[in-house]
Amino acid sequence: MSLRELPSVDRLLSHEQGQELVARYGHELTLQALRESLQAARQSVRQGAEPPGSQALLQQAAEAIEGLLAPTLRPVINATGVILHTNLGRAPLSRAAQEAMLAAARGYSTLEYDLARGRRGKRQVHAENLLRRLTGAEAAMVVNNNAAAVLLALTALARRKEVVISRSQLIEIGGGFRVPDVMRQSGAKLVEVGTTNRTHLRDYEAALGPRTALILRAHHSNFRIIGFTTEPGLEQMAALGKAHGVPLVDDLGSGTLLDTSAYGLGHEPMVQESLRAGADLVAFSGDKLLGGPQAGILVGRAELVRRLRKHPLARAVRPDKLCLAALSATLVHYLKGEAEREIPIWRMIAAPETRLRARADAWQRHLGRGRVIRSRSTVGGGSLPEETLPTWLLALESPHPNALLRRLRRATPAVIARIEKDQVVLDPRTVLDWQEEGLLAALHAALG
Ligand SMILES: *Cc1c(COP(=O)(O)O)cnc(C)c1O
């Protein structure tokens, strides 16, 4: 019976290589992995295979442990040209934001401590002052993400009451965030007005009543309605709300502090514009066009923000110290007028075509392969649908473009590229300067 030829767990553990595994990964993990490889060996022996030796069993266990411990959240090089790629983590952080995060992570911090008074302080102060100064809002609050910001606003301000919203804005932004569902979750009653393509101010007016808690405007974000369409301007909606004592909440989705139209893109609604138009509360993301960490930001009237802060849900969606550190550092770039230089996504948006072409040319020369072609990059992240920026790509012919994409994904760091007209294409716009070496090494290896 060849099962008996298999070594015991104890034999494997006391083997020199087994001892190495214990030293590296600890007793428990090693023991478990050895048991599992023995279990698998027994199975295959019963099916008629030769029993593996100790070496093979130990090797198998080592590989299993490595596979188990390898991080699944790994850095990748984004060569897709989609700047805010949600699957790839949206916005890379600025150097200052990375450093602020590290400083907050390494030790203790003033997260909720007032140094001047030597006693408990408030977590919300860190970004609030910066946000107020940047947007001119009375008050500001940071939560985990913008979905949480909208949920908190609806729950705290409109539970068991009515929220009036245009039918054209009952959007799904992906990842399961649907405005009607969030509304239901908050306990607010949805009152739809207008039609899919046209909603008038009088539609809103007719829906306002004693049970109305809010008027909500949700930015379409990831789609466009064109043709015979209308929605009232934010000023008109705000004035209507004021006349009836109903606050207007504006979910901007991405929102932006810089004017995207200055970069050859369409105009993405700006946070400052919403506040100026009279929105009482504006919600937007930290990691879309703001270019910071995942966060949801609420700015607006102090009295409303106070109500949000007091709600129990606020505790459940509060931001952590790493987020606040990175967000504050990102906001400082805007205050100093250096956002376009320091915040990676704005550098990408502002990258001149000549520079993109020079980089693609350099890649092509380095590899001695491919052609440099014109194409378009996109903003992504549910902002500015259909809007693109002119770019230059390195295009690689391959008999099996999908196989080449797969080989690039297997590199360390993995390279994510895309296929355009049967060619594998790489867009320099979203490849950070310090990633070029890794990109070229991966390309060399993948092209053989
Ligand atoms: C993206 C978006 C959200 C959700 O923001 P997250 O920060 O991803 O949670 C909510 N509303 C709109 C309109 C959006 O575009």
Side-chain angles (χ1 to χ4, degrees):
M1 179 61 183
S2 48
L3 271 181
R4 283 206 211 104
E5 290 170 41
L6 286 172
S8 68
V9 169
D10 286 335
R11 267 257 314 280
L12 291 173
L13 266 178
S14 54
H15 193 283
E16 192 188 323
Q17 255 174 283
Q19 284 302 297
E20 267 170 38
L21 288 181
V22 171
R24 201 173 314 151
Y25 302 118
H27 184 79
E28 263 317 296
L29 210 51
T30 307
L31 182 64
Q32 267 174 36
L34 289 173
R35 278 190 184 137
E36 279 161 24
S37 48
L38 275 169
Q39 181 67 32
R42 271 183 222 113
Q43 194 91 28
S44 51
V45 169
R46 274 193 212 103
Q47 285 162 7
E50 279 293 304
S54 298
Q55 289 286 343
L57 288 162
L58 284 157
Q59 185 56 32
Q60 228 176 51
E63 279 164 22
I65 297 174
E66 275 154 28
L68 177 73
L69 300 187
T72 52
L73 181 61
R74 287 166 46 197
V76 304
I77 295 174
N78 174 11
T80 64
V82 181
I83 296 170
L84 292 168
H85 199 304
T86 297
N87 302 146
L88 303 183
R90 286 196 186 154
L93 297 178
S94 74
R95 177 61 65 103
Q98 297 167 39
E99 282 165 4
M101 246 175 148
L102 183 63
R106 292 180 72 186
Y108 297 102
S109 64
T110 55
L111 180 64
E112 290 185 1
Y113 191 78
D114 184 333
L115 276 180
R117 294 192 178 141
R119 60 171 201 227
R120 184 168 185 203
K122 292 204 176 80
R123 168 184 308 247
Q124 286 293 342
V125 300
H126 303 297
E128 175 172 11
N129 293 339
L130 298 171
L131 283 164
R132 285 208 331 246
R133 188 165 277 267
L134 275 167
T135 64
E138 266 177 28
M141 173 172 188
V142 181
V143 294
N144 229 321
N145 52 50
N146 189 40
V150 176
L151 178 64
L152 176 63
L154 292 173
T155 311
L157 306 177
R159 199 176 151 71
R160 297 208 188 90
K161 300 218 184 92
E162 293 176 356
V163 175
V164 179
I165 183 169
S166 166
R167 286 201 167 82
S168 58
Q169 294 168 13
L170 296 175
I171 54 167
E172 170 178 323
I173 52 118
F177 183 93
R178 290 174 152 194
V179 168
D181 295 342
V182 177
M183 202 83 90
R184 208 167 302 123
Q185 193 60 44
S186 72
K189 181 166 182 277
L190 173 71
V191 178
E192 304 172 27
V193 299
T195 61
T196 308
N197 58 329
R198 289 174 71 81
T199 301
H200 305 278
L201 194 66
R202 60 175 185 274
D203 297 322
Y204 282 98
E205 189 159 18
L208 296 179
R211 299 186 47 75
T212 311
L214 295 177
I215 302 172
L216 179 65
R217 184 181 79 155
H219 179 45
H220 299 149
S221 293
N222 51 7
F223 75 105
R224 270 212 316 234
I225 306 185
I226 55 167
F228 186 53
T229 68
T230 188
E231 277 176 10
L234 206 60
E235 272 111 357
Q236 290 174 284
M237 292 173 66
L240 177 70
K242 283 209 172 60
H244 290 76
V246 176
L248 172 66
V249 175
D250 193 14
D251 173 14
L252 278 185
S254 174
T256 172
L257 296 173
L258 297 184
D259 185 356
T260 49
S261 65
Y263 298 88
L265 292 163
H267 181 73
E268 181 75 10
M270 297 173 70
V271 179
Q272 305 93 312
E273 288 168 354
S274 282
L275 289 166
R276 224 179 295 130
D280 297 284
L281 209 52
V282 181
F284 59 103
S285 271
D287 56 350
K288 291 185 182 172
L289 283 169
L290 193 73
Q294 178 187 304
I297 299 168
L298 289 143
V299 292
R301 270 175 41 212
E303 184 258 327
L304 297 177
V305 172
R306 209 172 307 124
R307 281 166 66 192
L308 302 190
R309 289 220 178 107
K310 280 204 314 233
H311 194 277
L313 191 56
R315 171 65 177 77
V317 296
R318 77 181 185 185
D320 79 305
K321 60 188 177 187
L322 304 182
C323 160
L324 288 170
L327 181 61
S328 301
T330 305
L331 294 171
V332 165
H333 293 313
Y334 287 96
L335 275 175
K336 287 165 76 180
E338 59 183 25
E340 188 188 306
R341 200 172 67 237
E342 297 295 331
I343 299 179
I345 64 137
W346 284 104
R347 277 179 82 111
M348 291 173 188
I349 289 172
E353 249 189 279
T354 49
R355 169 99 184 102
L356 295 165
R357 178 166 199 179
R359 289 178 72 195
D361 281 340
W363 297 355
Q364 192 265 342
R365 273 197 309 277
H366 184 95
L367 294 167
R369 296 276 290 268
R371 286 183 311 125
V372 173
I373 60 167
R374 292 198 70 138
S375 185
R376 317 285 301 180
S377 317
T378 54
V379 175
S383 357
L384 299 164
E386 314 267 298
E387 294 282 342
T388 57
L389 293 160
T391 194
W392 293 87
L393 309 174
L394 175 64
L396 298 162
E397 300 271 4
S398 165
H400 306 290
N402 275 308
L404 179 53
L405 281 188
R406 209 173 316 123
R407 286 199 296 280
L408 288 170
R409 288 202 304 272
R410 266 195 234 122
T412 306
V415 173
I416 315 296
R418 62 190 174 84
I419 294 176
E420 197 173 290
K421 296 192 189 110
D422 292 328
Q423 302 176 96
V424 168
V425 295
L426 301 119
D427 189 334
R429 190 187 295 275
T430 49
V431 175
L432 297 153
D433 286 334
W434 57 268
Q435 294 177 321
E436 289 212 347
E437 207 175 311
L439 175 85
L440 293 171
L443 281 166
H444 261 303
L447 290 167

